[in-house]
Amino acid sequence: MNYYSLNRQSPSVTFEEATIRGQAPDKGLYFPERIPTLSHNFIKNISRHTKEEIGVEVMKPYVAGSLDDNELERIVSETVSFDFPLVKINDNIYSLELFHGPTLAFKDVGARFMSRCLGFFNRNKDQKTTVLVATSGDTGGAVANGFLGVEGVDVVILYPSGKVSTVQELQLTTCGQNITALEINGTFDDCQAMVKQAFADKDLNNTLILTSANSINVARWLPQQLYYFFALQQWHDNGLPVICVPSGNFGNICAGILAHISGLPVQHFIAACNANDVVPQFLQTGNYQPKPSVATISNAMDVGNPSNFIRILELFQHQLPQLKEKVSSVTVSDEETKRILSDVYKKYQYTLDPHGAVAYKALNEYLQEHNDWYGILLETAHPVKFPDVVEAVTGSPVAVPESAAHLLKLEKKSIRMNADFNDLKEWLLNK
Ligand SMILES: *Cc1c(COP(=O)(O)O)cnc(C)c1O
């Protein structure tokens, strides 16, 4: 499979090259040259397949030419080595829990798949690759954990000081080995701007092999399709599901739509957003207007210009009517998010995290208007990652899973830095 740049000014590349580059030289996102079609039999018998078999079947065409069957099987089985349970919340709504991985958020799958691909592609190279990534919270932990101990790769994570939760901070500052955390005196937007500047800097690119690990990377984006197949695998005859995805950079939902176009039966998609409402506004007005992000209690979705939305447009050949028929998008305020978290806890004894609560609200509203349909929300993070909000709202402590309990005993190690690109550059050149 080859990948073209959505800006169409750079040549097409293999999966390997798209993974190593992250972004095309013309700054476009890479996009698969064709969308594979899964066999009817595979979909019909999906509940008889293992997670590993599904992973290989779905990913195989995308990596063809870059990974052989054995390598793909190994990478897939290391990637999906935990549970993805579909849990019933009430008669109409199910939660696909994507937080059973090592860093308790859905980003583990993409980060694990990408890190193993990059490790494999790097196996015979002398020079190390430096993965540079900015995080608002969950990306950093998933990338740190995914790349920990991967040979030939150093990871540098920039995060905004004081703006991530305790568990999130410990996940990205306690790995050691090939992982370094830079604690920036600034906001997430500052961190992202510094990283962007680094990728554009001549001196840095002459000295280091820099790559990103954010969701624009095809090796992080594409394996997220698997969640939707795992959901279908556990879905029993309630008609086609409506699937609601808490969305920030729109990588996850875009992968779901891609899975659907390949043959996965889905009634409708809902992209649930917090106050960062660029996409809901666009679907209403046809006018795409990026704006600075605003801080909310579902902070992993605080994105003012979702980078993967352009891929969704490409999937629908930029036809707004077709897009609107299959995908809706709504915005949910922090007040509503807290109210829903509390309601669902009281009524159904189910503890959502703030991101899942945004999705619940959007899905529940949609199902009131389509009352013979059933829905699945993607629960993208464990509530323990956001204890302040969750415990204040439910009034009870969140049970701490083993992986987080272990973290709380470790000591944070970070390097403090001002939000100044020159400081970052000097540090990278001398590292
Ligand atoms: C990253 C993240 C999101 C947003 O996912 P996108 O693919 O960027 O839309 C939602 N919820 C949580 C918990 C996240 O970490």
Side-chain angles (χ1 to χ4, degrees), residues 118-143:
L118 208 56
F120 178 71
F121 297 147
N122 252 3
R123 67 199 180 286
N124 298 324
K125 301 205 172 121
D126 303 332
Q127 199 184 351
K128 279 194 176 181
T129 297
T130 302
V131 170
L132 194 59
V133 67
T135 183
S136 59
D138 286 335
T139 298
V143 168

Side-chain angles (χ1 to χ4, degrees), residues 278-325:
V278 176
V279 173
Q281 286 292 338
F282 169 72
L283 291 185
Q284 225 170 50
T285 64
N287 186 12
Y288 187 85
Q289 196 65 58
K291 31 188 171 181
S293 60
V294 294
T296 73
I297 56 170
S298 46
N299 64 13
M301 310 197 294
D302 295 350
V303 180
N305 185 11
S307 43
N308 281 291
F309 192 65
I310 183 82
R311 283 184 169 138
I312 296 184
L313 291 175
E314 187 77 4
L315 284 171
F316 289 95
Q317 279 121 37
H318 295 258
Q319 300 299 309
L320 193 55
Q322 279 87 324
L323 167 59
K324 281 166 76 165
E325 206 177 292

Side-chain angles (χ1 to χ4, degrees), residues 104-107 136-139 168 215 220-221 224 245-254 272 298-303 306-308 353 355-356 378-382 385-386:
L104 309 172
F106 83 97
K107 291 189 172 70
S136 59
D138 286 335
T139 298
Q168 286 176 329
S215 62
R220 243 194 85 183
W221 169 52
Q224 302 182 84
V245 188
S247 296
N249 260 325
F250 281 69
N252 191 355
I253 191 166
C254 182
S298 46
N299 64 13
M301 310 197 294
D302 295 350
V303 180
S307 43
N308 281 291
D353 96 296
H355 304 80
L378 268 49
E379 186 33 301
T380 45
H382 193 291
K385 294 191 97 169
F386 308 94

Side-chain angles (χ1 to χ4, degrees), residues 173-305:
T173 55
T174 57
C175 288
Q177 297 184 49
N178 56 333
I179 315 292
T180 308
L182 301 181
E183 181 175 358
I184 305 298
N185 300 320
T187 62
F188 168 63
D189 288 346
D190 293 329
C191 298
Q192 196 151 35
M194 289 164 79
V195 167
K196 275 203 177 136
Q197 230 179 320
F199 287 124
D201 188 87
K202 281 219 170 70
D203 301 334
L204 282 176
N205 285 286
N206 285 337
T207 319
L208 301 167
I209 304 177
L210 285 181
T211 191
S212 84
N214 59 24
S215 62
I216 64 169
N217 194 300
V218 292
R220 243 194 85 183
W221 169 52
L222 293 168
Q224 302 182 84
Q225 293 179 88
L226 301 183
Y227 311 138
Y228 300 82
F229 292 93
F230 297 159
L232 183 71
Q233 203 185 17
Q234 302 170 71
W235 188 247
H236 296 295
D237 261 357
N238 279 330
L240 303 189
V242 175
I243 300 189
C244 183
V245 188
S247 296
N249 260 325
F250 281 69
N252 191 355
I253 191 166
C254 182
I257 298 168
L258 182 64
H260 172 63
I261 294 174
S262 303
L264 182 86
V266 175
Q267 186 73 253
H268 190 75
F269 286 96
I270 305 169
C273 299
N274 57 29
N276 294 282
D277 63 350
V278 176
V279 173
Q281 286 292 338
F282 169 72
L283 291 185
Q284 225 170 50
T285 64
N287 186 12
Y288 187 85
Q289 196 65 58
K291 31 188 171 181
S293 60
V294 294
T296 73
I297 56 170
S298 46
N299 64 13
M301 310 197 294
D302 295 350
V303 180
N305 185 11

